Amino acid sequence: MELIKKGDLDAFVMQNVQVAILDEEGNDKAPFVSKIIQKTGLCPDGTHLRIYFDHMNFFAVPLTSAVEASEKEWAAFDQDAGLKYVIKKRA
């Protein structure tokens, strides 16, 4: 596993994806939702990667999260919060 890099999600920007936030056991905190990632960017204090779904709605993942990535899926685990952020490309 690696830590987050801003470019990790470039292949997912402007793509149809499904996103979800899971707890440590892999249970949904919120169901998978279909979205299009508009852009990514760092938060002002440089501690989180923001993943934008439009010009103002985003979720933020701590840069210290461990990342697993493939061509079709990106997942980051925030050990402090016990949350896993998952982004999957839709077929």
Side-chain angles (χ1 to χ4, degrees):
M1 281 192 201
E2 300 181 355
L3 297 181
I4 292 177
K5 295 182 211 100
K6 186 180 177 300
D8 289 347
L9 284 166
D10 287 350
F12 293 84
V13 174
M14 300 309 292
Q15 299 289 317
N16 289 316
V17 297
Q18 291 186 305
V19 297
I21 300 172
L22 311 174
D23 65 14
E24 286 184 85
E25 288 78 41
N27 298 315
D28 291 352
K29 285 291 192 189
F32 273 91
V33 177
S34 296
K35 295 283 185 183
I36 295 177
I37 296 174
Q38 298 294 318
K39 66 178 182 175
T40 62
L42 296 177
C43 67
D45 66 3
T47 60
H48 290 72
L49 177 66
R50 290 181 176 179
I51 300 166
Y52 288 87
F53 304 112
D54 58 36
H55 70 283
M56 69 191 210
N57 292 303
F58 62 89
F59 67 79
V61 182
L63 292 177
T64 56
S65 300
V67 173
E68 291 180 348
S70 69
E71 186 178 309
K72 296 187 181 217
E73 185 174 308
W74 180 91
F77 181 67
D78 175 7
Q79 189 164 358
D80 292 336
L83 297 174
K84 184 175 184 179
Y85 302 84
V86 181
I87 298 172
K88 298 179 185 181
K89 285 186 180 176
R90 293 179 57 195

